[in-house]
Amino acid sequence: MKKVPFLTLEKAKEIIAQIPTPFHIYDEAGMRANARALKEAFSWNPGFKEYFAVKATPNPYILQILHEEGCGCDCATYAELLLAEAAGITGKDIMFSSNVTPELDMKKAYDMGAYINLDDATHAEFLERVCGGVPETICLRYNPGGSFSLGNTIMDMPRDAKYGMTEDQMAGVMNRLQKLGTKHFGIHAFLASNAVSNEYYPELAAQLFRLAVRLRNATGAHISFINLSGGIGVDYRPEQPACDIGIIGREVHNRFDQILVPNGMGDIAIFSELGRFMMAPYGHLVSTVLHQKHIYREYIGLDACAANLMRPAMYGSYHHITVLGKEDAVLDHVYDVTGGLCENNDKFAIERSLPEISVGDVVVIHDTGAHGFSMGYNYNGKLRSAEVLLKQDGSFRMIRRAETPMDYFATLDIGDFSFHN
Ligand SMILES: *Cc1c(COP(=O)(O)O)cnc(C)c1O
């Protein structure tokens, strides 16, 4: 589908007059409508809950908006727990899915009353030692090994992944935890990332539902929820079909009725921990063209760089680019669109067909609402950008200011030096 920015040139100019580029901007109306569609798709399951993966967009204003739409938070670290707590989200509205967990982090999750998702069988004893007890409900992360396929396509290789535990280990730890006082269990697995397919969740669900039946039969334990985690992908490319959350919800429902209900396990709640699906399409990185150069290729140099959006440099990911005010112009020029890092992989687009671009044009890089700002870094002294919320009524609010050089230096013993900022 043609990718249309949620921002016009006129609106962008109004914002830029107050908040210089580059910045990430989020579309409140879009994210709310999407969260509602997800909720609707799983409304057949009375316990359904989405725990938004905080790492995707760790801004408390965003967490609060999603919370208003019924979402909790999926946290992996101490700082993410603090962020959720500061946004007023705590207790069973938190899923703590961490790995290589430090004591401090485990203790904080336990004290907040979060659902704790154990990445390994040895973490049961770790949890008991660090927290002085075990919670009444615990989630266990599963790794089936082998490869994970949809039809003839191998999506990922769980056997090479560091996460989760084997089925035998899960049964063993369920037995031990029941003796220590745990009464209910959750099951979690994350087997493919950015799966742009309506089949991913239903196939994962079927595998986890069958696993739940086997584990219940082997241990007698009560399984109260199944966490399908993240992984539903988005259509970064205009020619890609987007996932249809209505179909996904319906197909998971079918597997639920086929596998769990006949086994007397129809009380299980379905949880998700989506990050990308919740936010990626509802964020743009807005940037101004600083320079243009012609050598062996045509280059467009932006005031944003890979430190503001790492995915193209790190994964070779496609992000669509729209030049504001030239939405309908012919794409008769071919450019590499770059940032200013001293690294040649700092390219948002390589040999991309775009309209003719001039210095001063404002470009939108699409689908940066998840794993965009959050993967930012300070290499080359590049500073993190501002984040802006485009509200439902069309007004905007800065929800994080841009870093200044003094922020970048703040962790030095700053009095030992004099900076002339
Ligand atoms: C990253 C992550 C998610 C979110 O993944 P998306 O691909 O953004 O949906 C969910 N759960 C866990 C444990 C993760 O590490």
Side-chain angles (χ1 to χ4, degrees), residues 200-314:
Y200 171 61
Y201 248 32
E203 173 56 30
L204 173 68
Q207 291 192 19
L208 295 185
F209 294 167
R210 286 189 216 106
L211 172 70
V213 173
R214 293 196 301 273
L215 286 171
R216 193 272 318 262
N217 293 345
T219 66
H222 179 243
I223 293 166
S224 62
F225 67 82
I226 289 180
N227 181 349
L228 300 175
S229 76
I232 297 182
V234 300
D235 50 331
Y236 287 104
R237 292 174 180 272
E239 69 274 15
Q240 258 178 322
C243 288
D244 183 327
I245 199 64
I247 293 174
I248 292 171
R250 207 154 59 232
E251 288 300 312
V252 173
H253 190 186
N254 285 338
R255 307 302 192 284
F256 190 95
D257 284 350
Q258 284 159 14
I259 301 166
L260 290 177
V261 173
N263 281 286
M265 298 171 79
D267 64 330
I268 286 183
I270 303 296
F271 293 168
S272 57
E273 286 174 352
L274 298 164
R276 192 186 315 273
F277 180 78
M278 301 308 290
M279 281 302 297
Y282 313 109
H284 291 333
L285 174 56
V286 181
S287 183
T288 303
V289 177
L290 292 184
H291 295 284
Q292 184 165 12
K293 69 183 279 186
H294 170 74
I295 44 173
Y296 310 102
R297 292 189 194 177
E298 291 289 337
Y299 290 95
I300 296 297
L302 302 184
D303 61 3
C305 69
N308 305 114
L309 176 69
M310 195 192 216
R311 299 184 72 260
M314 188 167 175

Side-chain angles (χ1 to χ4, degrees), residues 53 55 74 97 141 188 190 193 230-231 273-276 371:
K55 72 164 189 254
D74 163 39
S97 290
R141 186 166 184 169
H188 168 282
F190 189 162
S193 188
E273 286 174 352
L274 298 164
R276 192 186 315 273
H371 313 296

Side-chain angles (χ1 to χ4, degrees), residues 307-372:
N308 305 114
L309 176 69
M310 195 192 216
R311 299 184 72 260
M314 188 167 175
Y315 309 119
S317 310
Y318 180 95
H319 278 266
H320 198 67
I321 295 177
T322 300
V323 185
L324 291 184
K326 299 183 180 176
E327 287 84 349
D328 299 318
V330 278
L331 310 182
D332 55 358
H333 285 63
V334 175
Y335 297 110
D336 281 17
V337 181
T338 81
L341 287 182
C342 303
E343 284 224 55
N344 197 41
N345 67 1
D346 185 10
K347 294 186 175 182
F348 292 111
I350 294 172
E351 297 188 319
R352 179 82 54 93
S353 292
L354 288 163
E356 183 170 18
I357 294 178
S358 313
V359 169
D361 278 353
V362 178
V363 305
V364 153
I365 302 177
H366 290 249
D367 301 312
T368 68
H371 313 296

Side-chain angles (χ1 to χ4, degrees), residues 136-147:
E136 200 173 87
T137 305
I138 291 191
C139 186
L140 304 176
R141 186 166 184 169
Y142 175 52
N143 185 330
S147 57

